[in-house]
């Protein structure tokens, strides 16, 4: 779990999608005294046992979520918050 003032991101690398552990990340925003669910982040590239969400980072409105097992070499997915909510804006890795 990582936080950036009023937003936190929680990785769940064993989250099941289509009966496979693809992984997901969940974003919560502080509203007053409580935290409210804001988004479920999923990668645009899916692979069996990708473990998306093993590592998460958040800083200045960007979230990076790692998928170390995706396609054998791993990938990191960058999300930015825009008018439509959290959107994937880049994929890092080979």
């Amino acid at each position: 779990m990582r936080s950036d003032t009023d937003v936190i991101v929680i990785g769940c690398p064993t989250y099941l999608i289509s009966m496979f552990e693809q992984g997901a990340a969940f974003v919560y925003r502080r509203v007053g005294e409580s935290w409210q669910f804001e988004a479920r982040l999923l990668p645009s590239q899916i692979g069996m046992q990708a473990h998306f969400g093993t590592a998460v980072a958040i800083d200045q409105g960007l979230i990076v979520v790692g998928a170390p097992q995706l396609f054998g070499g791993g990938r990191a997915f960058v999300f930015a918050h825009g008018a439509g909510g959290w959107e994937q804006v880049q994929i890092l890795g080979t």
Side-chain angles (χ1 to χ4, degrees):
M1 176 178 75
R2 298 284 185 215
S3 68
D4 187 22
T5 312
D6 291 334
V7 178
I8 59 172
V9 60
I10 302 167
C12 184
T14 58
Y15 187 79
L16 294 176
I17 299 172
S18 301
M19 307 225 355
F20 295 103
E21 288 182 359
Q22 302 294 329
F26 299 91
V27 181
Y28 290 83
R29 184 173 300 274
R30 183 175 21 216
V31 178
E33 297 291 318
S34 65
W35 292 93
Q36 295 183 1
F37 173 78
E38 184 167 285
R40 179 182 70 169
L41 305 179
L42 300 172
S44 60
Q45 298 177 343
I46 297 292
M48 290 177 44
Q49 307 289 316
H51 298 282
F52 178 82
T54 297
V56 296
I58 185 169
D59 189 37
Q60 298 181 11
L62 291 176
I63 292 175
V64 180
V65 183
Q69 302 300 320
L70 187 61
F71 305 130
R75 301 286 188 278
F77 296 82
V78 181
F79 295 83
H81 193 267
W86 290 98
E87 301 173 8
Q88 182 181 306
V89 294
Q90 192 169 6
I91 302 171
L92 307 172
T94 57

